[in-house]
Every structure is written in structure tokens, then in C-alpha cells.
Amino acid sequence: MTALPRWMEPLLEAGEMRELDRWAISEKKVPVEQLMERAGEGLAGVIARRAPAGRIAIVCGKGNNGGDGIVAARLLRAAGREVEVHAVWPPEWMGEDAQAQIKKLPGAGPIPFEAGRLNKAHVIVDALLGTGSSGVPREPAARVIEEMEAARAPVIAADIPSGVDATTGEVAGPAVHCVATVAFHRPKLGVWVRPGKAYAGDVEVVEIGIPRGGPARPDAGLIGAGVLRDMPRRTSESTKFSSGNVFIVGGSRGLTGAPSMSALAAMRAGAGYVTVGAPASLELSFTVRLLEAMMVGLPEDGDGHLDVSGEEQVLKAIGRADAVVLGPGLSKAPDAQALARAVIPRIDVPLVIDADGLNALVGSVEEILPQRRWPTVLTPHAGELARLLDTTSEDVERSRLRHAREAAAITHAFVVLKGDDTLIADPSGRVAISRGRAPGLATAGTGDVLAGVIGAMLAKGMPTAQAACAGVYAHVRAGQIAAAPHGPDGVIASDVIAALPAALSA
């Protein structure tokens, strides 16, 4: 797999980190003691900054993660802090490198883990399991995790919260909610994917002395601000058509707001020409909302839904479009759903499928989407993805990474699985992840906004993966800007649309 684009910050799976450690130690001759020392030093620095006073309890496992905790304990004691080291297993069970660190520890040695003593601490350090752990934690680790979770003091994790899978973010049993996770060398994929993200708190990265290069070729990363750097901008030579022509197919009686918001978002994201194709009887609803967008009336049934008889008219109306957004406000009416299934394989430009456009694919996703010759972007939330994959939304939320990749492979499409950790999976398995933290987006209509923004990015001619990632990044940034004056609770989708120009220029 090719290297990640420069606008993605690499995230490591557990196996990739293990291979980097092996390479650094065996081939670059970096001593294990040096790596452990640097990791413990970084961990101690974060602990001291986040908990500048009070008793510290460091809970150590028997692996190198426990050794990192012991180094931190030594450095914190040397700085005058009161530190207890809790050994979950007998110290002699620890590896040679960790045992060597115990011999350097000033003051009292590790004590057997006692749950009651955690309540005397002002901060707890989780150095229990590390990145090599997966699945349901076994005893005694499971009991210790539950005790840390029940304690009153905040918890800081060394590299990964115990109970969280470092590769997938899955949580199969008890896990520790932390206020911060100190990631060694690079952040692990699992702390940025829910549910693991909800346990990690703030992720702080510390360098531990692994040289540049190495055998790891990550295929996942965080989307950075640089994703917008290559977005085509209007110049004095631009025209309304060269700025991107977006066509939106959707709308039905009672559901005219969704395509309107997609259209407004596409315009605010820089598209020079936007058209909405919707039931002809609803023209007035769109005309009063969309002064700058066109409206094309399409055949409908007697209840104000698009009709499958309009297939050829839809394709003709798309005409000179550079990208199409299908689904906002489409409805679940049988004829409207049949129309979507009919036109999707025949749309010969990049296509974003959202909302009821996704519902139209249920049961036939593997037959319809692979027929497309042009790029496709799907923008489901967990429930919509669950219907496409014939599973439950709870199952999707438990294993978001796996399901996003599975859907991309099956559909040959780019899958944007929405959430605080929005995942953009491409058919090759590569995944880009949003940092999120835009609670103002948790309101009706923001999904329609995102579909319009991605449509605009595609219409500008951006590569599909970058267009989807740029749309997600700008959408999150706009959500944050919209919430800045008064907080997230009062944000509505229109506020996010209005904030898009500022988000794109930030």
C-alpha cells in the first residue's frame, strides 16, 4: 500500500507498533532500557502536568507497559511526589527490563494490588495491559480494571486504556475511562475509533526514541487541516461552471428541507452552480428557499414523491453536472426508492448517496453499486450502515472500523460512517478518521449539509478520498465555529452552513 497522504497523521495498529519496536531494537540497536526510560519520562511529564499535587497510584502489569509505569514512578518520586506502585502480578513475573527498573526505584517497592488503596489517590495511572491485549480481559486484570473504573480519582493511561483494543477500538469487556492517554511514539488506531475513543480522553503523544523510517506502513490516519490545501479555489478566470456544478436529487412532500440544506451547503462550500431535482409540485417550496440555486421539476406520484417513470428525465436533467447528491428528502415511498435504484448505476459522474438513497440500496447493495463506472461516496450513520449490511446498529457501533471497511469492500465505494469519529473507508481498506469534537453537529439536517459539502468537493475535481475527507473536515470545523458564540446546544444545521466559508478559510 502506498504511503499515507501528507495531510493524514499516521495511526498505528498494535502489530505495527510491535514491529517498529522489534526493528528499533534488533536492527537499529536502540536499547530496550532507553525506549522504556523515554516512555516513562513522557508519562511522568503528563502526570505531573495534569496532577501537580496529591498522591499518585500507578497500577502496573507484568509487561513492558508496567515497566514504563515503574520508570514514571521513579522520576516522580525523584521530583518529590508521593507515589505508590501497585503490582497486579508478583514483580518476579515481570520481564527482565521491567525488573531492572524496579531495582532503580527509590523508596518502597511495588506492593500487591489493593483496591481500597486506590481511593486514597488523587490520580491513578493505568499501566496494566498495554497495546498487545485484545478481547475480554482475563482475571486478575478484569477485576483490577473494574476497581480502577470504580475509583474516585481520574485515570491516565500509558499508551492505551486497559480493556480497549489498540487496533480496532473495540471494547469486549471491562475497560477504564481515562481523562488522558499518553501514546508512545505514535497514537494507536484504537484510541481514535469509538467505542475506544470514549475511554481514551485527551491523547498526548510522546517520543520515545524510535528512529525515523521503519517497516510499518500504516493504512489509517487522522485527517489534518492540510486536506483543504489542495482544494481548488475561485480565481479571476473561474466561471460558475468551472467552480463545480452539483445536482441534487431528492425531496418529497414534507421533506423539502433536506435537499435545500444540501444545496445551500454545496454553494457555501464553493460550488458555482447547484440544481435541485425534486417533485414538480414542490417548486414553490424550493423557490422561496433557494434564491441562487436552480430547481428542475421531475415526475411524481400522487402523494408528492418522485416516480420511477422519471428515470430518463433525471438522467437528462443531470446533464452538465460534475457531481450528484442523491437521497436527501427522497422518502421511503416505493416509487422513489425504485427510481433511486434505477438511476444509480447510470449516473456517469461522481455520486454521493445519503439518507433515503441509502435505504433504497438495502438488499441489493452488492448488485447495484459495483456496476458504477464512476466514484461513489456513501454517507451512512450506524443505523443506515446496519441496514445495508443486514446487521444491527448496536453491532456496527461495537465494531465501527470493521463494518466501515467491510461496506467499502462490498460496495466498491468510499464509505463515510458518520459519528464523532467519522470514518472514511476506501475499497482498499485504507481509513481516514476525523478528530471530531463538534457536538453542535448532533442536530437534524447536519447530515444533509455534509452530503452537499462532499458533493461540492467532488464537483471541483478533487480525488474521491480527499474530497470525502475535505468535506468531513470542513463540516466538523464549521460545527465548531457555529457553536463558539453560545455553545453547541443552540446550533442548528443552518448555522453550520453559514459557518462553512470561515471553516474553509481557516
Side-chain angles (χ1 to χ4, degrees):
M1 180 169 288
T2 58
L4 295 178
R6 65 185 184 280
W7 42 265
M8 284 176 66
E9 177 187 345
L11 298 173
L12 294 177
E13 297 183 0
E16 292 167 341
M17 188 66 232
R18 191 163 50 246
E19 182 62 13
L20 272 177
D21 279 337
R22 183 209 60 76
W23 171 78
I25 295 163
S26 301
E27 299 185 29
K28 294 299 181 179
K29 308 304 179 185
V30 179
V32 176
E33 180 183 10
Q34 179 179 317
L35 295 175
M36 193 172 284
E37 186 74 20
R38 292 282 296 274
E41 181 183 357
L43 178 61
V46 174
I47 296 165
R49 189 171 66 254
R50 285 185 167 263
R55 181 180 295 180
I56 302 165
I58 301 181
V59 180
C60 294
K62 57 187 175 181
N64 284 351
N65 201 239
D68 301 332
I70 301 236
V71 172
R74 167 168 56 81
L75 297 172
L76 289 164
R77 282 180 178 175
R81 299 297 299 274
E82 183 182 358
V83 183
E84 282 189 343
V85 178
H86 296 252
V88 176
W89 287 272
E92 58 267 24
W93 289 22
M94 297 180 103
E96 291 182 9
D97 300 296
Q99 288 194 46
Q101 294 297 338
I102 292 175
K103 294 175 183 177
K104 298 179 183 179
L105 186 65
I111 61 174
F113 177 81
E114 292 182 33
R117 295 183 72 93
L118 292 183
N119 288 327
K120 299 177 182 179
H122 291 81
V123 66
I124 298 167
V125 179
D126 170 15
L128 178 60
L129 293 182
T131 59
S133 176
S134 62
V136 179
R138 296 189 293 271
E139 295 295 350
R143 174 180 57 84
V144 173
I145 289 170
E146 289 172 345
E147 296 288 358
M148 284 194 282
E149 182 75 346
R152 293 190 295 268
V155 182
I156 296 172
D159 220 11
I160 191 81
S162 292
V164 173
D165 190 302
T167 295
T168 66
E170 294 175 18
V171 177
V176 186
H177 283 91
C178 302
V179 295
T181 295
V182 183
F184 302 140
H185 181 60
R186 282 182 180 165
K188 310 310 175 289
L189 180 53
V191 300
W192 282 104
V193 178
R194 283 185 175 265
K197 181 179 181 180
Y199 289 80
D202 298 328
V203 179
E204 300 196 31
V205 181
V206 298
E207 287 295 336
I208 62 173
I210 292 178
R212 290 182 177 275
R217 293 291 180 269
D219 61 1
L222 292 171
I223 305 167
V227 71
L228 296 176
R229 192 171 295 130
D230 298 329
M231 185 186 83
R233 308 277 179 169
R234 294 180 192 173
T235 67
S236 56
E237 289 78 30
S238 298
T239 69
K240 61 187 177 184
F241 293 113
S242 66
S243 297
N245 183 343
V246 179
F247 195 96
I248 296 163
V249 182
S252 58
R253 188 171 299 163
L255 293 173
T256 56
S260 297
M261 285 187 286
S262 290
L264 288 166
M267 288 187 282
R268 287 296 187 187
Y273 197 95
V274 177
T275 306
V276 174
S281 66
L282 303 177
E283 182 173 0
L284 181 60
S285 295
F286 290 103
T287 300
V288 297
R289 281 193 175 109
L290 302 174
L291 299 180
E292 297 89 356
M294 306 299 111
M295 193 274 180
V296 174
L298 298 172
E300 59 188 288
D301 63 17
D303 296 318
H305 307 113
L306 289 173
D307 191 272
V308 70
S309 66
E311 177 182 350
E312 296 303 326
Q313 286 176 258
V314 169
L315 296 170
K316 182 180 178 182
I318 288 170
R320 297 167 62 186
D322 299 307
V324 172
V325 177
L326 186 150
L330 183 70
S331 88
K332 295 182 178 67
D335 263 6
Q337 298 272 291
L339 174 67
R341 287 190 292 272
V343 300
I344 284 171
R346 301 183 63 192
I347 295 174
D348 286 336
V349 293
L351 172 64
V352 180
I353 306 178
D354 185 43
D356 284 325
L358 295 167
N359 290 323
L361 295 169
V362 173
S364 55
V365 65
E366 294 181 61
E367 293 75 41
I368 292 176
L369 289 179
Q371 297 180 46
R372 283 188 44 75
R373 295 173 293 175
W374 286 76
T376 309
V377 179
L378 310 181
T379 56
H381 54 57
E384 290 162 340
L385 187 63
R387 288 191 285 276
L388 290 178
L389 296 178
D390 193 23
T391 184
T392 65
S393 58
E394 291 79 12
D395 192 31
V396 170
E397 293 288 33
R398 277 192 295 268
S399 307
R400 286 174 60 82
L401 189 65
R402 175 171 64 84
H403 285 98
R405 281 176 163 156
E406 179 186 348
I410 287 172
T411 61
H412 302 183
F414 292 77
V415 174
V416 178
L417 177 54
K418 293 180 285 195
D420 181 61
D421 61 335
T422 295
L423 310 178
I424 301 96
D426 74 24
S428 73
R430 174 169 287 175
V431 177
I433 303 171
S434 169
R435 286 176 168 81
R437 297 181 179 170
L441 295 176
T443 186
T446 56
D448 305 303
V449 173
L450 176 61
V453 175
I454 295 175
M457 300 295 175
L458 290 168
K460 290 172 179 290
M462 295 179 75
T464 311
Q466 188 171 1
C469 291
V472 168
Y473 182 88
H475 186 242
V476 167
R477 186 76 188 102
Q480 293 168 341
I481 292 169
H486 306 294
D489 289 339
V491 172
I492 59 175
S494 298
D495 299 331
V496 180
I497 294 170
L500 280 168
L504 291 167
S505 63

